Amino acid sequence: MTGSVTVAGLGPGDAALVTPEVTQALSRATDVLGYVPYVARITPRDGLRLHPSDNREELARATHALEIAAAGGHAVIVSSGDPGVFAMASALFEALETWPGDRHPEIAILPGITAMLAAAARAGAPLGHDFCAINLSDNLKPFALVENRLRMAARGDFAMAFYNPRSKSRPHQFARVLDILREECGGDRLILFARAVTTPDEAIAVTTLAEATPEMADMRTVVLVGNSATRRVGRWVYTPRSAESAAG
Amino acid sequence: MTGSVTVAGLGPGDAALVTPEVTQALSRATDVLGYVPYVARITPRDGLRLHPSDNREELARATHALEIAAAGGHAVIVSSGDPGVFAMASALFEALETWPGDRHPEIAILPGITAMLAAAARAGAPLGHDFCAINLSDNLKPFALVENRLRMAARGDFAMAFYNPRSKSRPHQFARVLDILREECGGDRLILFARAVTTPDEAIAVTTLAEATPEMADMRTVVLVGNSATRRVGRWVYTPRSAESAAG
């Protein structure tokens, strides 16, 4: 029996952003695993078992996929966006490190359109120059590390994209993030709140750090912050390709 | 006449990574513009004009697309990877800033699978935690800015992805980048050279900063550098989702 585990990125929501490679992998799957709302995006068919599970069950889900593969099945773990960006690919390799079998199953990671790039495309080209991606959730890291990364990113004059900016369990933290950014970048810096991009609930708001409030973000929002040169043209926001002077 | 300009990302090379959204836009195009090797990826058909142009012609290409749209055509500018990551989306908005018409044509940016995420997927999940994307070309920015960004990214303990690491016109610069990284991150840090990902020429090499040499990269290579926790499991390289302590 030669089973497999595939970790596939479904993109931000629109079916037109799912790659043919991912569609083909799903058509060959015997089992699809993932967080409940992502598995809900898979069309059921005969011979396909769906295994929706809760958030924060990532390691158990990855181990389950390895077990399915060890039994000869073709398990596809679905992530929103890209599986390698704050998603299930790392969790699979963490599970693989402690996997007792002497042979690893066949593994493939299939990239997807990650939320920050879908959001950037909707808004213009705010990430058109050097940029950072930061997961603001402190479930898996201390907030002091987040704070240091924010300051280093600002001092490098990077544009920034924030995933998981705000949750009910830590409502005050994103306010602190905005304070740090205002301190490092000034109030005029452009900031974009892109909620549920490419879905019917899509909403994109552009403002400045001075005007930004924590309530503008929730867990379905990706937040983009421009660099010192990011500007508007018409309804669009973009970061020029060139940089005139050294920041630092 | 209501023309349009669409900037579409073709992904890193494999046709199975072109999104249905981009395929549909190409099917409606009257004109496709882009750098020669990217336009070469478009299947010719009756009624479609192809406009390949040279590298460093980005602003002229963008203006040409606006002219086509003003005349009622549907221009698609194709980029490799994602058009918002060191590609044509920013160039279009730069051209739009000086566009003399009082009305802007309809504009859409269609995201694609960017090279760093395709490379990361092939290698495992090296960008599974916070990361930066840096264009190492100094065509459009002073190298002092690149150097500052490298140091800030290292001091923030970000994983890093480098686009355009090396060219014939600046062969010594990438050696300097490696020196800065060794100084900031130490010799044991993992570095990945991913060349021509998802094409028949694909080659991925994993080594350490101590062992890395400038010749391992060329202009078809995306270079990924792990953070302090990035490690190997089997043939894979991944960065754990969690971070135990504050860097900085």
Side-chain angles (χ1 to χ4, degrees):
Chain A
M1 283 187 293
T2 50
S4 65
V5 178
T6 300
V7 192
L10 296 178
D14 185 344
L17 293 179
V18 180
T19 66
E21 182 181 62
V22 167
T23 300
Q24 190 178 22
L26 288 167
S27 74
R28 289 186 301 218
T30 59
D31 297 81
V32 170
L33 305 89
Y35 179 40
V36 175
Y38 309 151
V39 174
R41 290 173 57 188
I42 307 304
T43 308
R45 61 173 164 78
D46 282 349
L48 177 66
R49 285 175 293 274
L50 300 178
H51 307 273
S53 53
D54 204 359
N55 216 343
R56 305 200 185 189
E57 297 289 325
E58 288 84 2
L59 272 183
R61 182 187 303 143
T63 301
H64 187 190
L66 290 168
E67 290 164 354
I68 289 168
H74 296 289
V76 176
I77 304 173
V78 289
S79 279
S80 178
D82 180 275
V85 178
F86 314 127
M88 281 299 299
S90 283
L92 176 65
F93 294 111
E94 286 172 43
L96 197 64
E97 271 188 334
T98 55
W99 178 244
D102 55 349
R103 284 183 58 194
H104 292 168
E106 187 186 321
I107 288 175
I109 312 296
L110 307 185
I113 302 292
T114 186
M116 68 177 165
L117 297 185
R122 290 296 215 211
L127 304 179
H129 199 74
D130 303 334
F131 65 93
C132 296
I134 303 177
N135 185 352
L136 291 185
S137 169
D138 65 353
N139 290 340
L140 294 166
K141 63 187 168 192
F143 189 73
L145 181 60
V146 173
E147 174 164 345
N148 181 57
R149 286 192 177 142
L150 291 171
R151 293 192 187 280
M152 293 302 109
R155 290 170 196 178
D157 197 22
F158 285 95
M160 303 176 212
F162 303 136
Y163 286 73
N164 305 316
R166 193 155 179 266
S167 76
K168 283 179 192 162
S169 63
R170 45 188 175 85
H172 305 300
Q173 195 166 291
F174 186 59
R176 178 76 188 127
V177 167
L178 291 175
D179 285 341
I180 293 165
L181 290 171
R182 279 187 281 261
E183 187 185 321
E184 295 283 345
C185 306
D188 293 337
R189 184 67 55 92
L190 290 177
I191 181 169
L192 298 87
F193 295 86
R195 184 167 188 279
V197 171
T198 83
T199 80
D201 301 328
E202 176 175 307
I204 295 178
V206 181
T207 186
T208 61
L209 283 177
E211 301 287 335
T213 62
E215 295 70 28
M216 291 175 176
D218 65 16
M219 284 305 273
R220 295 187 72 192
T221 307
V222 167
V223 178
L224 306 180
V225 177
N227 76 10
S228 60
T230 303
R231 54 192 189 239
R232 297 174 191 249
V233 50
R235 79 164 189 84
W236 304 96
V237 175
Y238 88 101
T239 302
R241 298 165 302 147
S242 61
E244 299 300 326
S245 60
Chain B
M1 284 188 292
T2 49
S4 65
V5 178
T6 300
V7 192
L10 296 178
D14 185 343
L17 294 179
V18 180
T19 66
E21 181 180 62
V22 166
T23 300
Q24 191 179 22
L26 288 168
S27 74
R28 288 186 302 217
T30 59
D31 297 80
V32 170
L33 305 89
Y35 179 40
V36 175
Y38 309 151
V39 174
R41 291 173 56 189
I42 306 304
T43 308
R45 61 174 163 78
D46 284 348
L48 177 65
R49 286 174 294 272
L50 300 178
H51 306 273
S53 52
D54 204 0
N55 215 343
R56 305 203 185 187
E57 296 290 325
E58 289 83 3
L59 272 183
R61 183 187 302 143
T63 301
H64 187 191
L66 290 168
E67 290 163 355
I68 290 167
H74 294 289
V76 176
I77 303 173
V78 289
S79 281
S80 178
D82 181 275
V85 178
F86 313 128
M88 280 299 300
S90 283
L92 176 65
F93 293 111
E94 286 172 45
L96 197 65
E97 271 188 336
T98 55
W99 178 243
D102 55 349
R103 284 183 58 194
H104 292 169
E106 189 185 320
I107 289 174
I109 313 296
L110 307 186
I113 302 292
T114 187
M116 67 179 167
L117 297 184
R122 291 295 215 210
L127 304 179
H129 199 76
D130 303 334
F131 65 94
C132 296
I134 304 177
N135 185 352
L136 290 185
S137 169
D138 64 353
N139 290 342
L140 294 165
K141 64 186 168 193
F143 188 72
L145 181 59
V146 173
E147 175 165 344
N148 181 58
R149 285 192 178 143
L150 291 171
R151 293 192 187 280
M152 293 303 106
R155 291 171 196 177
D157 197 23
F158 286 95
M160 303 176 213
F162 303 137
Y163 287 72
N164 305 315
R166 194 156 176 266
S167 75
K168 284 179 192 162
S169 63
R170 46 189 174 84
H172 304 301
Q173 194 167 291
F174 187 57
R176 178 75 189 127
V177 167
L178 291 175
D179 284 342
I180 293 166
L181 290 171
R182 279 187 282 262
E183 187 184 322
E184 295 283 345
C185 306
D188 294 336
R189 184 68 55 92
L190 290 177
I191 181 169
L192 300 88
F193 295 87
R195 184 168 188 278
V197 171
T198 82
T199 79
D201 301 328
E202 176 173 307
I204 295 179
V206 181
T207 185
T208 62
L209 283 178
E211 302 287 335
T213 62
E215 296 70 29
M216 291 175 176
D218 65 16
M219 283 304 274
R220 294 186 72 192
T221 308
V222 167
V223 178
L224 305 180
V225 177
N227 75 10
S228 61
T230 302
R231 56 193 188 236
R232 297 173 191 251
V233 50
R235 78 165 189 84
W236 304 97
V237 175
Y238 88 102
T239 303
R241 298 165 302 147
S242 60
E244 299 300 326
S245 61

